[in-house]
Amino acid sequence: AELLPKLADADLKELGITSLGHRRRLVDAIAALHTKDDALADDPAPFSNSASERLGSSETTAERRPLSVMFCDLIGSTALSSRLDPEDLREVIRSYQARVASTIQPFDGFIARYVGDGVLIYFGWPEARETDAERAVRAGLAVAAAVGAVRPGGEPLQVRIGIATGLVVSGEPIGSRDSRQQTAVGETPNLAARLQGLAGPGQVVIDAATRRQIGGLFECRDLGTVELKGLPAAVPAWQVLSENRTLGQFEALRSDATPLVGRDEEIELLLRRWALAKAGSGRVVLISAEPGVGKSRLAAAVAERIAAEPHTPLRYFCSPHHQDIALYPVIAQMERAADSAHTDGPGARLAKLQALLAATAPSMEDVALIAELHSLPSADLAPPLDVAPQRKKEKTFEALLRQVEGLSRQRPVLMLFDDIHWIDPSSRELLDRLIERVAKWPALVLAMFRPEFQPPWTDQPHVTLLTLARLGRRDTAAMVASVAGNATLPPEVVEEITERTDGVPLFVEELTKSVLESSVQAPAALFAVAHPALSVPATLHASLMARLDRLGPAAKDVGQAGAAIGREFGYGLLASTADVPEPQLRDALDRLTKAGLLFVRGTPPEAIYFFKHALVQDAAYGTLLRSRRRRLHARIVATLEDRFPEIVQAQPALLAQQCVEAGSRKRRSITG
């Protein structure tokens, strides 16, 4: 045991180990034994005597990652068992489980296991989504409604649901296909199960982390701070009542209270287009930017600037959860404008819709078409149309366009279309027609989207494409000061936030808030490389992981290996560290660069890569278990000393840092 750490320090070539592969395996074995206690703490699987077996087992798939966990429990199963024949009870339970499974599928829920008549479900595994907490809540409401429709013996089944969000260690699945089980270790699954106990029949109860991540997307009732069995302290809890359709994604999740900085030129351009629109020459501005750069915030700022002017604002929000609902943004906009509530009956909703449409004095046929679009009774408004479905769609489109044109005749119209990269096909077709016609109306259309969406309208003379860049360092520092308010952050902390956020306003806002909430004033404590998860706010962690997960396991593994080296790394060092065949390595790096997560300078094998955002590097590195991190760092140390002495001479701090992270107890002199 005493010799093993010393072997890691020795020049292995003197021991006759000249094969790089043998060298790697020996270093891995030493690191594995050196960190055995950590591995046992991180991974409940038995520790293998073979380092190569461990690398090929669950440790390579086990990760630290944020999850939203749902625990769903069937109410009254004991009473059912006393009334029903066991065979009939079996069918009831199977029907309930099948209903839960089919309901969560559209929300990307993963059934980890069945626990008696309870179901444990993960959102964010095996692949993270940027809206995992939101998906979990939507799924919870849907499951409560779907199970309530199951009526064995004429009585509806009822469930109670608890949802919690937090960091877990997820391991390797056991079993296969529908029977496989997945274990997540941490407080989050236990909290979800305890919160389920607070819920009443058909209710969904969530924790503080989930509540924060869903923002104003749902109507919630504060349950106060509650004592839960097995938890050391009382925790706040909320009951989710319903979806809040009065707000868009930006309004519900982000605050426009943070002053807009660094966008003076863009605002001036948009105000000039507004002046042209008011004069009767309609304009369209397409605003493109990566997530978090401020598309929606810019549009909101323009709306604020013209709020005192006579005009009609129309806001349409596309949603990733409603892409299969035809004309969802249009329907939701009208419901908001008509002040419809989810408790309104069909008659009340129809009356509110008619009052909204009356402003443009539409024909009764138009009113009937739009009412039918909202699934409201229309037979009393106009005779049913006996036309083909395609012709009916055409007439509905014309009715909607006439409504906008009628509004523009009364006063100028500002139309905001947000997140059109998530637009449904029918809304996209309607938007095509709107953009073509709006040139003749006193209206300005602002359409916001991410770079992956390719707008087809840029060749039209009244259309302008505006691409938002990230903020410069001065504007970033100004935004940090604005978010901090009366709090004073040391210059080194402001500099570290500026460095890590790379000018992405969302990153700036969330990381600054994270610093303020943690009350940490020293950058060494908050941003230490050894604790990368601390530098990634929980509100961003899932969205950053989603970008890695969607590229596949191979690309994520390469990204993790690169993150262990640093913000910048060379192809040669990565190839020697990652132990991935060259074709797969190059393919993974291509995926990472095309996705915008890495920048590349030069071509392999001389290429240099660096992470586009420091927080992406932190998120990738933070998923690694401690034992695997140390193993990677030990391999990097061995590779640097064996193959890249010039890097060691030029960057001794890099080797020193890698030694620290590898947990080496003693290193030879870097210069000698």
Side-chain angles (χ1 to χ4, degrees):
E2 286 184 1
L3 289 176
L4 284 172
K6 296 177 181 178
L7 280 175
D9 298 335
D11 186 340
L12 296 182
K13 288 184 178 179
E14 292 181 4
L15 301 178
I17 300 175
T18 56
S19 164
L20 184 59
H22 290 165
R23 182 183 174 92
R24 285 176 182 159
R25 283 194 288 275
L26 183 55
V27 170
D28 285 345
I30 293 169
L33 289 170
H34 184 64
T35 60
K36 178 177 178 180
D37 290 341
D38 288 333
L40 286 170
D42 289 336
D43 187 349
F47 190 82
S48 170
N49 291 325
S50 165
S52 60
E53 287 176 8
R54 284 293 288 162
L55 284 175
S57 71
S58 63
E59 185 168 311
T60 59
T61 55
E63 294 182 314
R64 303 167 62 92
R65 64 187 300 138
L67 284 187
S68 288
V69 179
M70 175 197 296
F71 194 87
C72 173
D73 189 50
L74 182 63
I75 298 175
S77 57
T78 303
L80 281 174
S81 65
S82 66
R83 294 202 323 262
L84 299 178
D85 180 84
E87 224 176 300
D88 295 330
L89 179 63
R90 172 177 174 269
E91 290 304 315
V92 170
I93 297 297
R94 289 182 64 180
S95 176
Y96 150 68
Q97 292 177 340
R99 186 64 63 98
V100 172
S102 62
T103 302
I104 67 166
Q105 186 177 7
F107 302 98
D108 298 308
F110 176 86
I111 293 182
R113 63 180 182 269
Y114 295 101
V115 186
D117 50 18
V119 188
L120 184 66
I121 304 163
Y122 300 158
F123 295 84
W125 198 97
E127 183 176 333
R129 301 286 195 277
E130 60 185 279
T131 56
D132 284 327
E134 178 188 347
R135 290 173 187 270
V137 173
R138 289 187 185 278
L141 293 173
V143 165
V147 173
V150 179
R151 293 176 172 266
E155 296 182 16
L157 294 181
Q158 291 182 314
V159 293
R160 47 180 164 232
I161 295 171
I163 298 173
T165 298
L167 189 68
V168 303
V169 171
S170 59
E172 184 181 33
I174 300 171
S176 61
R177 296 187 180 178
D178 292 341
S179 64
R180 66 177 176 173
Q181 297 184 357
Q182 173 69 26
T183 300
V185 179
E187 182 184 39
T188 305
N190 296 329
L191 180 55
R194 298 301 183 192
L195 290 171
Q196 169 269 140
L198 289 178
Q203 292 182 354
V204 178
V205 175
I206 61 175
D207 71 334
T210 306
R211 178 70 182 88
R212 179 177 180 183
Q213 292 196 29
I214 64 174
L217 291 171
F218 300 88
E219 299 285 354
C220 298
R221 181 169 69 91
D222 191 348
L223 300 179
T225 302
V226 294
E227 300 279 350
L228 296 176
K229 183 179 178 182
L231 297 182
V235 298
W238 287 263
Q239 178 196 347
V240 182
L241 301 176
S242 64
E243 179 184 2
N244 180 6
R245 299 181 69 171
T246 64
L247 300 176
Q249 198 86 356
F250 169 75
E251 293 173 305
L253 298 177
R254 306 295 168 205
S255 170
D256 58 2
T258 303
L260 192 67
V261 298
R263 299 299 185 203
D264 293 342
E265 292 184 12
E266 290 85 351
I267 289 180
E268 282 300 315
L269 183 148
L270 295 175
L271 291 177
R272 289 198 300 270
R273 296 298 183 272
W274 173 244
L276 292 171
K278 287 192 297 181
S281 181
R283 289 292 184 269
V284 177
V285 181
L286 309 174
I287 305 175
S288 173
E290 62 182 284
V293 169
K295 304 177 293 293
S296 302
R297 182 67 184 90
L298 177 63
V302 172
E304 292 167 9
R305 292 283 290 270
I306 68 172
E309 300 181 24
H311 74 286
T312 299
L314 301 175
R315 298 177 298 173
Y316 303 89
F317 303 105
C318 303
S319 164
H321 310 290
H322 301 96
Q323 290 176 280
D324 57 346
I325 300 178
L327 297 173
Y328 169 80
V330 177
I331 295 170
Q333 185 276 328
M334 287 188 168
E335 287 182 348
R336 289 192 301 272
D339 197 26
S340 292
H342 71 278
T343 55
D344 289 342
R349 291 173 57 210
L350 179 60
K352 289 182 178 181
L353 179 63
Q354 287 181 286
L356 174 70
L357 300 177
T360 61
S363 68
M364 291 309 294
E365 181 180 275
D366 281 3
V367 175
L369 286 166
I370 295 174
E372 190 171 346
L373 181 63
H374 289 258
S375 301
L376 294 173
S378 59
D380 295 338
L381 302 174
L385 289 175
D386 186 15
V387 295
Q390 179 61 30
R391 178 57 183 156
K392 190 172 188 178
K393 184 176 80 169
E394 296 282 342
K395 293 179 77 66
T396 301
F397 281 177
E398 291 301 320
L400 293 170
L401 291 170
R402 279 193 291 270
Q403 179 70 12
V404 176
E405 183 180 9
L407 291 173
S408 70
R409 287 200 192 103
Q410 298 173 5
R411 51 185 182 176
V413 172
L414 175 66
M415 305 180 72
L416 307 182
F417 284 84
D418 210 350
D419 291 328
I420 61 172
H421 46 274
W422 289 323
I423 197 168
D424 66 273
S426 296
S427 296
R428 166 67 185 275
E429 189 176 345
L430 180 63
L431 184 57
D432 287 341
R433 301 184 186 204
L434 172 68
I435 289 176
E436 182 179 344
R437 298 189 190 186
V438 78
K440 301 176 182 178
W441 304 343
L444 173 63
V445 176
L446 303 182
M448 286 74 76
F449 53 88
R450 297 178 181 178
E452 60 263 28
F453 180 82
Q454 299 299 316
W457 314 292
T458 53
D459 59 343
Q460 300 186 46
H462 62 292
V463 175
T464 302
L465 176 62
L466 175 61
T467 301
L468 294 186
R470 289 177 282 168
L471 299 178
R473 298 183 71 86
R474 179 179 298 178
D475 289 331
T476 299
M479 186 173 180
V480 171
S482 175
V483 174
N486 295 328
T488 301
L489 294 176
E492 59 268 26
V493 172
V494 176
E495 177 63 24
E496 193 67 30
I497 294 174
T498 301
E499 183 67 28
R500 287 186 174 271
T501 54
D502 301 291
V504 177
L506 175 59
F507 292 0
V508 176
E509 181 176 0
E510 293 300 322
L511 190 54
T512 304
K513 288 178 179 178
S514 180
V515 172
L516 296 171
E517 289 169 4
S518 63
S519 300
V520 175
Q521 299 294 306
L526 182 64
F527 302 110
V529 177
H531 305 286
L534 294 179
S535 62
V536 181
T539 49
L540 298 178
H541 212 154
S543 64
L544 294 172
M545 280 305 304
R547 301 185 196 184
L548 286 167
D549 282 348
R550 70 170 63 108
L551 299 180
K556 185 170 71 173
D557 288 347
V558 169
Q560 290 170 328
I565 298 172
R567 176 82 183 267
E568 181 178 317
F569 53 88
Y571 177 86
L573 178 56
L574 179 67
S576 300
T577 300
D579 201 18
V580 174
E582 186 170 359
Q584 286 91 324
L585 177 64
R586 293 200 179 201
D587 178 68
L589 288 169
D590 285 344
R591 287 173 177 267
L592 289 163
T593 53
K594 288 177 181 176
L597 299 180
L598 293 180
F599 286 138
V600 59
R601 185 169 61 246
T603 57
E606 305 301 325
I608 301 295
Y609 296 87
F610 53 98
F611 283 93
K612 184 175 182 180
H613 303 300
L615 291 182
V616 173
Q617 177 200 355
D618 289 346
Y621 184 79
T623 62
L624 295 167
L625 300 185
R626 288 193 303 268
S627 52
R628 191 168 173 227
R629 288 183 201 170
R630 292 182 179 178
R631 205 163 292 181
L632 270 173
H633 287 298
R635 183 177 289 180
I636 293 167
V637 169
T639 303
L640 282 170
E641 293 183 325
D642 186 48
R643 299 190 58 189
F644 299 98
E646 70 282 2
I647 295 179
V648 174
Q649 290 295 328
Q651 304 178 54
L654 172 62
L655 181 62
Q657 181 66 36
Q658 293 294 331
C659 290
V660 170
E661 299 303 334
S664 297
R665 301 177 184 176
K666 177 182 177 183
R667 296 300 305 175
R668 65 185 178 187
S669 170
I670 293 175
T671 58

